[in-house]
Amino acid sequence: MPVPTYDVLLETTAVISTILQFLSGVIICRKYIQKKSTGDSSGLPFVCGFLSTSFWLRYGLLTDEHSVVLVNIIGSFLFLCYTLVYYIFSVNKKSYLRQFGIVLCMLLGVWYYTNSIELEAEKIRLMGLICCIITVCFFAAPLTMLIHVIRMKIQKVYPSH
């Protein structure tokens, strides 16, 4: 049996760790289901996760990177499920639908725009840039909860503000 090369080992590790990271939403959704409510938590990380994985899926298809395609098919499916669970138990469905609608418009707009670019290298470059920007937003999305916690603490300390 041949020993896997460094690239194969690194690729496999990256795929597994990324999928495990994407599965962290299961714990959060399980709490929503148990409580039958999302409470005052934000669904933005799920929406951003769906957008990010969908864009990376597009990038993987353009570059013919099988591991990127595999990871992001799984990621897009998981984040779509998380989004659905959040919506079902959300107290503010209208606002969440608006967020998801904006994400879908962005997704379709970028997909349409990149299809209109004739040079394959330019498509890939633009899609890679968009993916990087959205991924930063995806990882920053949980910070919305931090802002909320800080506001609540300030209101407790200074109730008149």
Side-chain angles (χ1 to χ4, degrees):
M1 178 179 221
V3 177
T5 63
Y6 177 73
D7 326 9
V8 173
L9 188 61
L10 185 61
E11 181 179 348
T12 304
T13 305
V15 167
I16 292 168
S17 61
T18 303
I19 291 171
L20 288 174
Q21 184 224 348
F22 290 161
L23 286 170
S24 65
V26 170
I27 298 165
I28 298 165
C29 287
R30 192 167 161 228
K31 289 179 185 174
Y32 295 156
I33 293 167
Q34 287 172 342
K35 292 191 310 186
K36 305 257 188 276
S37 173
T38 59
D40 59 356
S41 67
S42 172
L44 191 60
F46 294 145
V47 172
C48 288
F50 176 72
L51 183 63
S52 178
T53 55
S54 297
F55 279 157
W56 279 110
L57 175 58
R58 170 77 169 138
Y59 180 82
L61 291 170
L62 285 172
T63 58
D64 200 31
E65 301 258 352
H66 300 293
S67 60
V68 174
V69 171
L70 172 67
V71 163
N72 289 292
I73 283 174
I74 294 168
S76 294
F77 174 75
L78 286 171
F79 279 103
L80 190 58
C81 291
Y82 301 154
T83 299
L84 183 60
V85 169
Y86 186 92
Y87 176 77
I88 290 169
F89 295 103
S90 175
V91 290
N92 194 351
K93 290 182 180 359
K94 191 174 182 179
S95 172
Y96 195 62
L97 268 181
R98 187 174 32 251
Q99 283 179 356
F100 194 70
I102 290 168
V103 161
L104 284 179
C105 288
M106 287 173 63
L107 188 60
L108 293 173
V110 167
W111 199 289
Y112 176 78
Y113 181 73
T114 55
N115 273 344
S116 70
I117 298 172
E118 290 184 29
L119 290 174
E120 201 67 23
E122 184 61 22
K123 271 185 202 183
I124 292 169
R125 188 193 69 73
L126 179 63
M127 204 63 228
L129 180 64
I130 291 169
C131 287
C132 289
I133 291 168
I134 296 301
T135 299
V136 169
C137 293
F138 167 61
F139 284 108
L143 294 177
T144 59
M145 194 60 196
L146 178 63
I147 292 167
H148 174 75
V149 169
I150 291 170
R151 280 189 189 144
M152 296 315 274
K153 295 286 183 188
I154 289 172
Q155 285 179 351
K156 282 184 180 178
V157 175
Y158 304 105
S160 63
H161 286 57

